[in-house]
Amino acid sequence: MQQESVFDVFVIGGGINGCGVARDAAGRGYSVGLAEMNDLASGTSSASTKLIHGGLRYLEYYEFRLVREALMEREVLWRNAPHIIWPMRFVLPLHKGMRPGWLIRLGLFLYDHIGGRKLLPATRTLDMRSDAAGKPLKASYRRAFEYSDCWVNDARLVVLNARDAADRGADIRTRTKVSGARIEDGIWILTLDDLLTGLREEVRARMLINAAGPWVDEVVAGAFGRNDVHNVRLVKGSHIVIPRKFDGERAYFFQNADGRIIFAIPYEEEFTLIGTTDQDFEGDPAKVEISGEEIDYLCAAASEYFTDPIHPEDVVWSFSGVRSLFDDGASMAQEATRDYVLKSDEETFGAPIVHVFGGKITTFRRLAESVVAEIGRKIGARGTAWTHREVLSGGDFGHDGYEREVDTLQSAYPFVQAEHARRLVRLYGRVAHNVLNGATSVEDLGRHFGADLYEVELRHLAAREWACTGEDVLWRRTKRGLRLSSEEAGIVDAFMGDIARRANPEDAAGRAVEQVARGGQGRAGAA
């Protein structure tokens, strides 16, 4: 990249919104740069409940446009990324004192009919006394509704959008902070600090997209030197992971006495994911972590339903994130809008800029289309909407082709164990063949780090997916941290650090890599 060249668009933030915008814009022919000060999906985008869903509860707040758009996106995203997105059925038990059954049935009727559902099964009523879904629950729950949404590997969705953007020409820079911004002759001059090498450079861009998530106001204050901004309401959401609580592939939607809801979802084959909380948050989003009160709340809420209660000591992992919702003045955190808001601020700064607030992971693609439409209005339109029909890397095997793809991988690599093959296809789709790199035996996979994690996968993640540390690998791209011991995790971290140091041999880079590695698990810390 020549220093004197000018990007059409520069994106600040490597979460789902920033990477989605970069992908869409690059695919239409814009020259695109993106800077993320940490790892891709290191903030809010890896701390979701892992759902592509319409948001049934948002109907209570009359968010009909948001729900309809989200419902329409479910099958689009499933077709675009069938390796990391797949259908899931949700069981919603009914009982007195909560929302009445007729109201829930009305909501589910809208859920089935306003979003263009074609592939996902419709809602049905369950007799919990005879259906297997009732087995882990208390006997008082005799009736339930079962409806469809989708599961998503959220962190991988971000990485695959970044990978596709890069393949289409975007310059994706992780561990790079935008430390300053000024305007010369209507062009943005951005100061970029590479946190791995210690190098500083300036790049130029015709338009700027501030998609920094919880840091969106901080970017304005820090890079632009303004301290008079307050656009976001920071809301903390936390989840716990426990050993698998129930059999089967269905998830549960539980209503709580305080009006909130939580999910209990099959997770990583051997575990159950429970969440989320909703609390207003103040402080540094980079230091967010679950509180003891949140753990107690989630355990108590789920224990109202399960026959076998859940205790804090059952928690094997937890993670927390901060959602940057647009501050609409809602009285409670769970009532604040999840819809996205785009704010153009060219008059204030003197050059085109759009700030991105809020949004759901489900609607990231539509948000990106809206941002790119704004780019077109500001600096000239290019191309037409395209992301609805183009699959993400590795997902070109059809929405119903996962099992066939697993069989194909095992036929090509018979020495790979069945569960290992399934995991690789779930993470990489057809790119799993590239991950295995032509291996003809287990020995060819290189060093074994524990569970089913081998050197070839780590090297692929470093070379193709911007992974630099053990946390990047174990807690975002693979979730193997759930199965490796702390000693094994430390070895993975040291190995990734060595790869990064070899790629950036300067002394400053080596010190920076070690500093990043010492950061530990951050938001994804052990409970």
Side-chain angles (χ1 to χ4, degrees), residues 143-452:
R143 185 166 167 258
F145 292 123
E146 181 185 287
Y147 68 94
S148 293
D149 267 325
C150 290
W151 165 269
V152 62
N153 187 323
D154 53 4
R156 292 212 56 73
L157 184 65
V158 177
V159 170
L160 294 183
N161 270 271
R163 182 67 264 162
D164 195 66
D167 290 343
R168 296 175 189 274
D171 184 357
I172 307 295
R173 307 186 185 197
T174 63
R175 266 80 183 197
T176 300
K177 184 176 182 179
V178 178
S179 59
R182 67 183 191 277
I183 296 167
E184 294 181 0
D185 299 324
I187 298 294
W188 287 101
I189 311 296
L190 306 173
T191 302
L192 305 184
D193 290 334
D194 188 319
L195 303 181
L196 286 182
T197 66
L199 298 177
R200 170 172 288 187
E201 68 173 306
E202 288 187 341
V203 299
R204 307 169 71 202
R206 299 172 64 196
M207 186 166 180
L208 192 60
I209 308 300
N210 179 8
W215 293 272
V216 64
D217 280 351
E218 183 178 313
V219 165
V220 177
F224 307 136
R226 289 182 54 194
N227 296 307
D228 57 344
V229 291
H230 178 76
N231 296 290
V232 297
R233 180 174 188 167
L234 299 182
V235 176
K236 176 186 177 184
S238 296
H239 298 75
I240 58 174
V241 176
I242 63 173
R244 185 148 189 163
K245 193 69 176 176
F246 50 88
D247 295 328
E249 298 305 317
R250 287 181 287 186
Y252 292 91
F253 179 122
F254 293 150
Q255 304 176 78
N256 303 334
D258 59 5
R260 300 179 184 180
I261 62 96
I262 64 169
F263 294 95
I265 305 172
Y267 187 65
E268 294 293 320
E269 294 87 33
E270 300 173 17
F271 303 92
T272 296
L273 173 68
I274 299 174
T276 180
T277 58
D278 269 309
Q279 297 182 349
D280 284 310
F281 178 81
E282 295 182 0
D284 183 355
K287 297 179 180 179
V288 64
E289 60 183 17
I290 196 168
S291 66
E293 291 79 8
E294 286 178 296
I295 293 175
D296 290 342
Y297 173 83
L298 292 173
C299 289
S303 295
E304 286 294 314
Y305 287 83
F306 288 116
T307 302
D308 183 20
I310 299 168
H311 304 286
E313 53 266 30
D314 297 328
V315 177
V316 298
W317 185 50
S318 67
F319 59 89
S320 299
V322 177
R323 307 180 190 98
S324 57
L325 307 180
F326 187 74
D327 193 352
D328 61 356
S331 59
M332 293 187 292
Q334 62 265 33
E335 294 178 1
T337 182
R338 266 58 174 175
D339 208 349
Y340 55 83
V341 176
L342 309 180
K343 184 177 179 182
S344 181
D345 217 2
E346 184 173 359
E347 292 183 1
T348 300
F349 292 99
I353 182 172
V354 170
H355 307 287
V356 179
F357 304 102
K360 288 159 44 67
I361 197 166
T362 303
T363 53
F364 85 92
R365 194 193 63 81
R366 295 291 293 271
L367 179 153
E369 287 185 337
S370 297
V371 172
V372 175
E374 189 68 16
I375 293 170
R377 286 188 284 271
K378 298 295 185 182
I379 65 173
R382 298 185 188 179
T384 57
W386 64 277
T387 56
H388 62 286
R389 63 177 181 269
E390 294 291 334
V391 300
L392 287 167
S393 176
D396 52 339
F397 53 81
H399 71 276
D400 58 351
Y402 169 72
E403 295 293 344
R404 293 192 301 273
E405 197 60 32
V406 172
D407 290 342
T408 299
L409 188 70
Q410 281 204 277
S411 295
Y413 300 91
F415 56 89
V416 173
Q417 296 296 313
E419 288 306 311
H420 188 191
R422 298 184 71 84
R423 181 181 73 83
L424 291 175
V425 175
R426 272 295 178 221
L427 295 184
Y428 307 103
R430 287 188 167 172
V431 175
H433 294 265
N434 297 342
V435 174
L436 295 175
N437 197 31
T440 59
S441 66
V442 172
E443 289 71 26
D444 288 345
L445 300 180
R447 187 174 178 180
H448 181 220
F449 292 92
D452 57 2

Side-chain angles (χ1 to χ4, degrees), residues 444-505:
D444 288 345
L445 300 180
R447 187 174 178 180
H448 181 220
F449 292 92
D452 57 2
L453 193 62
Y454 290 87
E455 181 177 341
V456 288
E457 187 172 0
L458 267 59
R459 291 195 178 278
H460 173 86
L461 293 172
R464 296 289 294 171
E465 295 196 3
W466 300 275
C468 296
T469 71
E471 182 184 356
D472 299 350
V473 170
L474 298 178
W475 296 107
R476 280 186 285 278
R477 287 162 182 76
T478 74
K479 299 299 186 295
R480 292 296 91 182
L482 286 166
R483 289 176 172 79
L484 268 62
S485 68
S486 58
E487 181 180 357
E488 290 170 329
I491 294 171
V492 170
D493 195 51
F495 184 83
M496 295 302 295
D498 185 60
I499 292 177
R501 278 187 291 273
R502 290 175 184 273
N504 300 284

